[in-house]
Amino acid sequence: MTTVLGIHCGHESSCSVVRDGQLLSAVQQERVTRRKYDGQEFLSDRLPIREVLRLAGTTIDEVDVIVSSFQAAGPSGVGLQRPLVASAFSAFDPFDPRHHVVSHHLAHAASAVYPSGLAAAAVLVSDSAGTTSWDGKDFYEPFADFHARYYADVDPAGRAVFTEMRSVYSFADGRFTLLDRAYSTPHNQPDVFVQSEAGLFDNVSRYVFRAEHAHGQLMALAGLPPTGPVRLTGADIVTQEGPPRLKNGWQLIDGPVGGDPVDSADLAAAVQDAFTRLLTHHAQRAVDLAGTPNLCCAGGVFLNLTANSAIAALPGVRDMYVPSCPHDAGISVGAAFLGWARRQPGRTVTTRIRNDFLGRPAEPVTPELAAEYGCVPVPVTAGVRGAEATAGAPAEAGAVSDLTRAAAGIIAGGAVVARFAGRAEFGPRALGNRSLICHPVACSDARAKLNRLKRRQDWRPVAPIVRAQDLDTYFHGPAESPFMNFNFEVREEYRELLAEALHADGTARVQTVTPDCNPAVHELLTAIAGLGLPPILINTSLNGPAQPIIDSAADVLEFVRHPVVDYLLGDDFLFATPGSGPLRVRRPESVVMASFGSGPTARYVLSSQTASSPVDRQLFQDLCAQDRVLADSGSRLVLDCLNAGLLVEADR
């Protein structure tokens, strides 16, 4: 038996445990520290090492191999504020002979290949920057050797460092063979100059949204229609003849970007088009170089669903696998698998991973604890027992289906439900265990409600969950999507019915579930189908703005006090939340109120310098009479005003 601890030191730090080729646990640092996108560039006790070992049921003394990756380390450039090891690090001795270090792109490749279950595959890794080294080669070596190399005094005269940007591997007979690699070019304006698909998307998302980690917003923005004349297209950004090459010089686009990101929809669409063209080219080239139609992909760029779907549709690609965590947090998974594989030469994982529930189990939520936050247990009919059970108490054998039927009933009635159950997802996307869910038909204005709850732009899409057997009925696209990594076209005959689950371009970021990967959510969908509704749920992550996915009972109980959330659902409980009903709002001082006309035809409007929206007569009069008023939390007009900043939630 071989147990391996994998550690990723860098942004989006994480730790993972693999035993005998099975991934037992994986945790991002942000879930423990509660700081979104939290990173750690060197070995420190802030890393979730003890947490991930506890979840795997083991200790550091029982670990056979430790494999770390140091993204920020540069040769002859470690120390001062960027050491390899914090002085107070206590989880283990870094110079322990069990401890090895792996390069960034090789760990990325392993994070996709081993969970794919493929015995042979092409591997494409693409991100902004991987390992920096003097020779640009992969490595897997004892920490002591890595430490000596990276602290060594090397005369840089006539030498240059190499930083990985894109790599192509072939994987066969349990071995990786590097077939091609591109390196980044040093530049003093890397946030403008573009040299890779990753840099292109990152630079423009920062420019449009004036924030980091805005890639998902740019991807969604690209699906909106332009608000005016189109200023540029993908052909302005990447060459169209022969192998595509990124251009520079297009960055001085006509007309400034306005305060509203929607005014940059044309820029987003051009970037998405160029990005997809680049990535599909490199994917096709990877399978051609490797001589296999099986393709595994890793790196942050593969969180882009539009490009992933285009790659999956390439004639040269038969089977495409993108792991649940293709960005840098997945590095720890690859590191752990490599540590295992090095002890088992020639072996590979044979079972494809479709389950991302590798984190903490949901903490118990007792009726007593829930009552402290104003939550009330919902009676659940006990079915064959012919009695009434109360959700919120531990379920007896056979009661799970009763709880599921009760949950299906409230969802069919239009409720928004927070699901806090089972083990937490490892990757960046909530897949049902830490999710906000509702029904796209039964829940009025579902997308607007969820976007308001998350304080997102009203044009941001939400994600439908569907049983794998129903995928082709409602959607067109890849054969499966257990990690929500692909965009699907909604079939024409269902577009009106499923309007709340659609993006503006008619696509949906679908997640498929099976009884094996998430039996509880699959059963819930089946119960919804039994009520005569399409077996589809709208899903978004269980967290607020700038907050990691919620992972404690206290945090979830505080969260569901929001008026949009109607119920809290767990493995053995169902609570009505205190948030249902009226919402207390107020008008910001910068917002002007105006009425036009009189009598039954009168119109009432709230306006600011950037937006305006109608309101009903009663709300208008209430706002005139007092500072804080009660409003209908389900009203589309109220939701529009909140999303536009014309109303804000008042203190409770």
Side-chain angles (χ1 to χ4, degrees):
M1 183 171 69
T2 300
T3 302
V4 185
L5 168 65
I7 302 171
H8 165 56
C9 296
H11 54 265
E12 296 156 343
S13 298
S14 66
C15 297
S16 303
V17 173
V18 167
R19 177 179 296 145
D20 291 342
Q22 299 297 312
L23 182 57
L24 299 183
S25 59
V27 176
Q28 292 192 50
Q29 182 170 299
E30 66 167 28
R31 309 293 169 83
V32 177
T33 63
R34 306 309 301 160
R35 294 176 58 185
K36 187 74 169 171
Y37 308 116
D38 197 15
Q40 181 63 52
E41 294 182 346
F42 45 85
L43 291 175
S44 162
D45 286 343
R46 295 183 70 248
L47 290 160
I49 293 172
R50 292 176 174 85
E51 176 80 4
V52 80
L53 290 172
R54 182 184 63 80
L55 291 171
T58 190
T59 66
I60 194 66
D61 293 336
E62 296 172 332
V63 169
D64 300 291
V65 184
I66 305 167
V67 185
S68 297
S69 183
F70 296 86
Q71 181 187 30
S76 306
V78 291
L80 300 178
Q81 71 272 27
R82 286 193 171 91
L84 292 179
V85 185
S87 58
F89 180 64
S90 62
F92 58 87
D93 177 4
F95 292 92
D96 188 312
R98 298 176 297 170
H99 189 201
H100 291 70
V101 179
V102 64
S103 53
H104 192 83
H105 275 200
L106 180 57
H108 257 320
S111 76
V113 164
Y114 289 109
S116 76
L118 293 168
V123 189
L124 176 61
V125 177
S126 176
D127 57 13
S128 294
T131 291
T132 298
S133 62
W134 288 116
D135 58 13
K137 296 180 181 179
D138 289 323
F139 56 81
Y140 179 96
E141 62 185 353
F143 175 82
D145 295 349
F146 175 77
H147 184 276
R149 284 198 306 119
Y150 272 62
Y151 272 101
D153 174 31
V154 176
D155 184 356
R159 302 190 66 176
V161 294
F162 294 87
T163 300
E164 306 164 325
M165 185 173 72
R166 186 186 312 108
S167 300
V168 176
Y169 296 87
S170 136
F171 178 78
D173 300 322
R175 298 180 59 187
F176 290 93
T177 302
L178 181 64
L179 303 178
D180 187 60
R181 173 163 288 161
Y183 302 96
S184 63
T185 301
H187 199 283
N188 70 325
Q189 296 294 341
D191 57 342
V192 177
F193 177 77
V194 293
Q195 57 183 307
S196 70
E197 54 276 8
L200 170 66
F201 219 84
D202 189 50
N203 289 358
V204 176
S205 65
R206 289 170 186 259
Y207 171 63
V208 172
F209 296 98
R210 298 295 195 268
E212 294 188 57
H213 309 293
H215 312 95
Q217 296 181 63
L218 190 70
M219 180 174 64
L221 185 61
L224 300 185
T227 58
V230 174
R231 294 170 291 174
L232 79 168
T233 68
D236 297 312
I237 301 174
V238 67
T239 60
Q240 301 298 296
E241 301 297 328
R245 177 186 65 81
L246 269 169
K247 302 177 184 179
N248 280 284
W250 56 267
Q251 290 92 329
L252 184 62
I253 59 176
D254 293 333
V257 174
D260 187 349
V262 172
D263 293 335
S264 297
D266 60 337
L267 174 59
V271 168
Q272 181 65 66
D273 179 63
F275 176 89
T276 301
R277 176 168 166 74
L278 287 165
L279 212 53
T280 51
H281 164 75
H282 293 305
Q284 185 63 59
R285 185 166 179 267
V287 295
D288 290 344
L289 286 173
T292 173
N294 300 328
L295 178 65
C296 296
C297 301
V301 302
F302 295 104
L303 287 171
N304 190 289
L305 284 65
T306 303
N308 288 351
S309 298
I311 293 171
L314 288 171
V317 175
R318 182 181 63 196
D319 188 359
M320 178 185 182
Y321 185 82
V322 181
S324 67
C325 203
H327 68 341
D328 281 357
I331 288 286
S332 67
V333 173
F337 270 116
L338 277 170
W340 167 76
R342 291 292 176 121
R343 303 259 298 211
Q344 318 289 331
R347 289 187 59 186
T348 185
V349 179
T350 57
T351 302
R352 175 162 295 193
I353 294 178
R354 294 180 172 89
N355 186 325
D356 190 45
F357 305 117
L358 301 164
R360 293 172 170 175
E363 294 178 344
V365 180
T366 64
E368 294 76 19
L369 178 61
E372 295 179 17
Y373 293 83
C375 293
V376 180
V378 176
V380 176
T381 302
V384 295
R385 290 200 302 272
E388 189 176 79
T390 299
E396 299 177 15
V400 172
S401 60
D402 301 324
L403 181 63
T404 299
R405 282 193 291 271
I410 64 172
I411 290 172
V416 173
V417 175
R419 188 167 189 271
F420 180 70
R423 292 180 67 176
E425 297 87 344
F426 166 54
R429 292 177 176 136
L431 302 173
N433 280 10
R434 303 289 185 275
S435 289
L436 291 160
I437 55 176
C438 59
H439 196 271
V441 178
C443 184
S444 175
D445 297 323
R447 180 170 51 192
K449 288 180 179 179
L450 294 177
N451 280 337
R452 177 168 70 83
L453 174 58
K454 308 269 288 189
R455 298 182 189 173
R456 302 189 303 198
Q457 303 95 332
D458 58 3
W459 44 264
R460 295 280 293 277
V462 288
I465 305 178
V466 62
R467 296 179 303 183
Q469 69 258 36
D470 300 317
L471 178 63
D472 289 341
T473 300
Y474 300 98
F475 306 99
H476 174 71
E480 63 175 359
S481 182
F483 304 133
M484 206 189 299
N485 279 332
F486 299 97
N487 261 349
F488 288 73
E489 293 181 8
V490 181
R491 295 196 180 275
E492 187 68 36
E493 60 268 34
Y494 291 107
R495 290 193 176 187
E496 182 176 354
L497 180 68
L498 301 179
E500 290 298 314
L502 267 68
H503 193 33
D505 59 1
T507 63
R509 44 189 295 181
V510 176
Q511 175 198 347
T512 54
V513 297
T514 65
D516 294 330
C517 73
N518 195 329
V521 171
H522 188 275
E523 182 179 299
L524 181 58
L525 287 165
T526 300
I528 288 171
L531 296 174
L533 290 171
I536 297 173
L537 289 170
I538 284 180
N539 169 35
T540 191
S541 56
L542 183 58
N543 61 313
Q547 181 183 37
I549 291 176
I550 288 174
D551 214 13
S552 76
D555 285 347
V556 76
L557 285 166
E558 180 62 36
F559 182 85
V560 300
R561 296 174 67 183
H562 191 286
V564 166
V565 183
D566 300 304
Y567 294 89
L568 174 61
L569 172 65
D571 288 315
D572 57 3
F573 60 79
L574 178 62
F575 294 106
T577 70
S580 302
L583 172 69
R584 189 172 295 277
V585 298
R586 64 178 178 85
R587 174 181 61 87
E589 292 183 0
S590 59
V591 173
V592 175
M593 300 172 59
S595 62
F596 302 90
S598 61
T601 61
R603 294 186 300 113
Y604 305 93
V605 177
L606 300 184
S607 297
S608 68
Q609 291 184 345
T610 59
S612 66
S613 177
V615 294
D616 60 58
R617 179 173 178 269
Q618 185 61 57
L619 178 59
F620 187 87
Q621 291 180 338
D622 289 346
L623 288 168
C624 289
Q626 52 187 311
D627 180 47
R628 288 167 170 78
V629 303
L630 292 177
D632 180 2
S633 62
S635 166
R636 182 56 184 263
L637 294 179
V638 172
L639 294 176
D640 287 344
C641 288
L642 286 162
N643 288 332
L646 300 170
L647 291 174
V648 295
E649 292 183 46
D651 296 335
R652 285 200 264 226

